[in-house]
Amino acid sequence: MLLAEAMERHSNMPPEDRGVFEAIAFELFRFLTEKGFEGSRHGDLAMAINFRLTALARLVQGDQVRGWTLPGDTEGLTYLHADVLKAAAKEPLVEDDKGQAAFDGPAFAQHVLSLAAARGRA
């Protein structure tokens, strides 16, 4: 899954660069180029991935996906259940009260539960 691969690339960035927009954008463009993406849609895809990763990070900091995460072995990293990433790739983004891309927390949590229920485990 492209979003999962992009998130892994982000987690492998130096810790001091993980919150720097320019460094993230550069890494996303490099990643997408390596995957064979090019042309006018290249930038759109990089921004879409960045919006989703940023919205997911905000969601993880809240309570909506508690139980689907584990603390990482490095400061600032969190391990996510695969269904959380699947939901992040599919759930629509909304604009939060600060004008930033976000996921609707309750709808997102319901999506994760429905993915797990489809396989008979939660």
Side-chain angles (χ1 to χ4, degrees):
M1 172 193 313
L2 193 62
L3 188 63
E5 290 179 64
M7 190 168 89
E8 185 175 352
R9 283 289 279 261
H10 181 265
S11 70
N12 289 329
M13 292 174 64
E16 63 274 8
D17 289 344
R18 287 188 206 132
V20 179
F21 174 78
E22 292 81 2
I24 295 167
F26 180 79
E27 188 62 30
L28 281 174
F29 273 93
R30 182 170 33 194
F31 164 68
L32 291 172
T33 299
E34 290 171 8
K35 297 294 281 180
F37 292 96
E38 56 186 39
S40 61
R41 297 254 167 176
H42 193 173
D44 294 343
L45 184 56
M47 289 306 299
I49 290 170
N50 188 52
F51 283 147
R52 288 189 175 277
L53 290 178
T54 301
L56 181 58
R58 287 190 196 107
L59 197 67
V60 167
Q61 291 171 350
D63 292 337
Q64 300 298 328
V65 292
R66 188 183 311 179
W68 299 95
T69 64
L70 290 172
D73 53 4
T74 303
E75 179 73 27
L77 293 181
T78 302
Y79 294 109
L80 304 175
H81 190 279
D83 289 338
V84 173
L85 283 174
K86 289 177 186 173
K90 299 281 186 181
E91 271 296 298
L93 289 169
V94 297
E95 187 176 337
D96 69 10
D97 58 349
K98 296 177 185 167
Q100 298 176 331
F103 291 111
D104 177 279
F108 190 96
Q110 187 60 44
H111 190 153
V112 174
L113 285 172
S114 71
L115 289 169
R119 290 187 312 283
R121 50 191 169 124

